[in-house]
Amino acid sequence: INTMTGGRIKRLKEYIGNERFLLTYGDAVTDLDINKVLEFHKSHGKMVTVTGVRPPARFGELKINNNNNEVLEFKEKPNATQGWINGGFFVVEPEFLNYLEDDSCILEKEPLEKVAASNQLVAFLHEGFWHCIDTKRDKDNLEKIIKSDKKIW
Protein backbone atom coordinates (compact mmCIF):
# COMPACT_ATOMS: atom_id res chain seq x y z
CA ILE A 1 0.00 0.00 0.00
CA ASN A 2 2.98 2.34 0.57
CA THR A 3 4.68 1.49 -2.73
CA MET A 4 5.01 4.44 -5.12
CA THR A 5 4.34 4.39 -8.89
CA GLY A 6 7.88 3.45 -9.92
CA GLY A 7 8.16 0.83 -7.21
CA ARG A 8 4.99 -0.85 -8.39
CA ILE A 9 6.38 -1.16 -11.90
CA LYS A 10 9.74 -2.37 -10.57
CA ARG A 11 7.89 -5.24 -8.83
CA LEU A 12 6.68 -6.42 -12.26
CA LYS A 13 10.20 -6.79 -13.70
CA GLU A 14 10.20 -10.60 -13.52
CA TYR A 15 6.93 -10.72 -15.47
CA ILE A 16 7.99 -8.14 -18.06
CA GLY A 17 11.39 -9.67 -18.70
CA ASN A 18 13.13 -8.22 -21.76
CA GLU A 19 10.02 -7.21 -23.64
CA ARG A 20 8.71 -3.81 -24.64
CA PHE A 21 5.62 -3.00 -22.57
CA LEU A 22 2.68 -0.64 -22.41
CA LEU A 23 2.05 1.33 -19.26
CA THR A 24 -0.90 3.40 -18.06
CA TYR A 25 -2.13 4.79 -14.78
CA GLY A 26 -5.68 3.66 -15.53
CA ASP A 27 -7.23 6.96 -14.47
CA ALA A 28 -8.09 8.46 -17.85
CA VAL A 29 -10.53 7.81 -20.69
CA THR A 30 -9.36 8.50 -24.24
CA ASP A 31 -9.87 7.72 -27.90
CA LEU A 32 -6.11 7.21 -28.28
CA ASP A 33 -5.14 4.69 -30.96
CA ILE A 34 -2.53 2.71 -29.04
CA ASN A 35 -1.41 0.97 -32.24
CA LYS A 36 -0.39 4.36 -33.67
CA VAL A 37 1.51 5.13 -30.47
CA LEU A 38 3.29 1.78 -30.72
CA GLU A 39 4.19 2.39 -34.39
CA PHE A 40 5.48 5.85 -33.46
CA HIS A 41 7.56 4.38 -30.64
CA LYS A 42 9.14 1.78 -32.90
CA SER A 43 9.98 4.47 -35.48
CA HIS A 44 12.15 6.66 -33.23
CA GLY A 45 14.18 4.04 -31.34
CA LYS A 46 14.11 5.82 -27.97
CA MET A 47 13.56 4.18 -24.58
CA VAL A 48 10.19 5.69 -23.60
CA THR A 49 7.25 7.25 -25.41
CA VAL A 50 4.79 9.26 -23.34
CA THR A 51 1.47 10.40 -24.74
CA GLY A 52 1.13 14.16 -24.52
CA VAL A 53 -2.37 15.64 -24.27
CA ARG A 54 -3.71 19.15 -23.99
CA PRO A 55 -4.56 20.10 -20.42
CA PRO A 56 -8.26 20.58 -19.78
CA ALA A 57 -9.30 24.10 -18.90
CA ARG A 58 -10.84 24.56 -15.47
CA PHE A 59 -11.22 28.32 -15.56
CA GLY A 60 -12.13 31.05 -17.98
CA GLU A 61 -9.29 32.59 -19.94
CA LEU A 62 -8.62 36.29 -20.40
CA LYS A 63 -6.40 37.73 -23.11
CA ILE A 64 -5.32 41.11 -21.79
CA ASN A 65 -3.70 44.14 -23.41
CA ASN A 66 -0.57 44.72 -21.31
CA ASN A 67 -0.64 48.47 -21.94
CA ASN A 68 -4.03 49.27 -20.40
CA ASN A 69 -5.37 45.97 -18.96
CA GLU A 70 -8.22 46.01 -21.48
CA VAL A 71 -9.68 42.52 -21.97
CA LEU A 72 -9.15 41.68 -25.63
CA GLU A 73 -10.67 38.22 -25.50
CA PHE A 74 -12.82 36.31 -23.02
CA LYS A 75 -13.26 32.53 -23.28
CA GLU A 76 -14.98 30.42 -20.68
CA LYS A 77 -13.08 27.16 -20.16
CA PRO A 78 -11.50 26.98 -23.62
CA ASN A 79 -9.67 23.93 -24.84
CA ALA A 80 -5.99 24.50 -24.29
CA THR A 81 -4.07 25.22 -27.48
CA GLN A 82 -0.66 25.68 -25.89
CA GLY A 83 1.27 23.32 -23.70
CA TRP A 84 1.10 19.59 -23.21
CA ILE A 85 0.77 17.35 -20.17
CA ASN A 86 1.49 13.71 -19.41
CA GLY A 87 -1.57 11.81 -20.69
CA GLY A 88 -0.62 8.70 -18.74
CA PHE A 89 -0.12 6.27 -21.64
CA PHE A 90 3.41 5.00 -22.31
CA VAL A 91 5.35 2.57 -24.50
CA VAL A 92 8.47 1.48 -22.67
CA GLU A 93 11.60 -0.51 -23.48
CA PRO A 94 12.68 -2.99 -20.78
CA GLU A 95 15.97 -1.22 -19.98
CA PHE A 96 13.89 1.55 -18.38
CA LEU A 97 13.27 -0.83 -15.48
CA ASN A 98 16.91 -0.24 -14.47
CA TYR A 99 15.98 3.37 -13.66
CA LEU A 100 13.52 2.21 -10.98
CA GLU A 101 15.18 1.83 -7.59
CA ASP A 102 12.79 0.43 -4.98
CA ASP A 103 9.29 0.82 -3.48
CA SER A 104 9.92 4.51 -2.72
CA CYS A 105 10.62 5.28 -6.39
CA ILE A 106 8.23 7.80 -7.97
CA LEU A 107 7.97 7.14 -11.71
CA GLU A 108 7.36 10.79 -12.58
CA LYS A 109 10.40 12.05 -10.66
CA GLU A 110 13.94 10.72 -11.09
CA PRO A 111 13.28 7.88 -13.58
CA LEU A 112 11.40 9.88 -16.21
CA GLU A 113 13.44 13.03 -15.51
CA LYS A 114 16.69 11.09 -16.10
CA VAL A 115 15.36 9.48 -19.27
CA ALA A 116 14.33 12.91 -20.56
CA ALA A 117 17.74 14.38 -19.67
CA SER A 118 19.43 11.59 -21.66
CA ASN A 119 17.23 12.33 -24.72
CA GLN A 120 15.45 8.98 -24.46
CA LEU A 121 11.91 10.28 -23.84
CA VAL A 122 9.70 11.20 -26.80
CA ALA A 123 6.10 12.42 -26.82
CA PHE A 124 3.32 11.14 -29.04
CA LEU A 125 1.03 14.17 -29.27
CA HIS A 126 -2.64 13.21 -29.04
CA GLU A 127 -5.14 15.89 -30.06
CA GLY A 128 -8.20 13.68 -29.60
CA PHE A 129 -10.44 13.06 -26.63
CA TRP A 130 -8.78 12.63 -23.23
CA HIS A 131 -10.37 13.01 -19.82
CA CYS A 132 -8.77 12.25 -16.47
CA ILE A 133 -10.79 10.85 -13.59
CA ASP A 134 -8.89 11.89 -10.48
CA THR A 135 -11.78 13.37 -8.49
CA LYS A 136 -15.53 13.08 -8.12
CA ARG A 137 -15.77 16.33 -10.08
CA ASP A 138 -13.87 14.67 -12.98
CA LYS A 139 -16.20 11.66 -12.83
CA ASP A 140 -19.29 13.88 -12.81
CA ASN A 141 -17.97 15.89 -15.79
CA LEU A 142 -17.26 12.72 -17.76
CA GLU A 143 -20.76 11.42 -17.03
CA LYS A 144 -22.20 14.72 -18.34
CA ILE A 145 -20.17 14.36 -21.54
CA ILE A 146 -21.38 10.79 -22.03
CA LYS A 147 -25.02 11.73 -21.38
CA SER A 148 -24.76 14.63 -23.86
CA ASP A 149 -24.45 12.09 -26.69
CA LYS A 150 -21.17 13.60 -27.86
CA LYS A 151 -19.28 10.95 -29.76
CA ILE A 152 -16.08 10.72 -27.76
CA TRP A 153 -14.82 7.31 -28.86
Side-chain angles (χ1 to χ4, degrees), residues 10-135:
K10 179 79 170 181
R11 288 178 176 223
L12 298 174
K13 186 174 183 175
E14 68 181 278
Y15 303 103
I16 295 169
N18 286 327
E19 294 185 46
R20 175 182 299 128
F21 61 98
L22 304 178
L23 173 65
T24 184
Y25 301 118
D27 63 354
V29 176
T30 184
D31 63 356
L32 179 69
D33 184 337
I34 198 67
N35 290 317
K36 286 185 180 176
V37 181
L38 188 55
E39 286 174 32
F40 173 78
H41 178 80
K42 290 176 183 178
S43 75
H44 61 64
K46 302 289 185 171
M47 191 184 312
V48 180
T49 296
V50 59
T51 299
V53 298
R54 297 288 190 187
R58 286 190 56 203
F59 305 102
E61 179 179 81
L62 302 176
K63 185 174 182 182
I64 298 174
N65 180 330
N66 291 331
N67 294 327
N68 61 8
N69 290 353
E70 178 183 325
V71 175
L72 302 173
E73 206 172 289
F74 181 97
K75 291 185 179 177
E76 184 58 20
K77 298 181 185 174
N79 289 330
T81 57
Q82 296 181 354
W84 297 89
I85 62 170
N86 170 6
F89 294 87
F90 301 83
V91 181
V92 184
E93 295 300 323
E95 58 267 25
F96 176 72
L97 295 170
N98 297 326
Y99 286 75
L100 308 175
E101 295 294 324
D102 54 29
D103 283 358
S104 66
C105 176
I106 300 170
L107 176 71
E108 303 79 10
K109 290 289 187 180
E110 290 83 14
L112 286 175
E113 290 173 358
K114 285 180 182 178
V115 170
S118 64
N119 296 316
Q120 288 296 309
L121 180 63
V122 178
F124 177 89
L125 303 180
H126 177 61
E127 297 271 8
F129 181 81
W130 180 88
H131 193 290
C132 68
I133 308 173
D134 293 330
T135 65

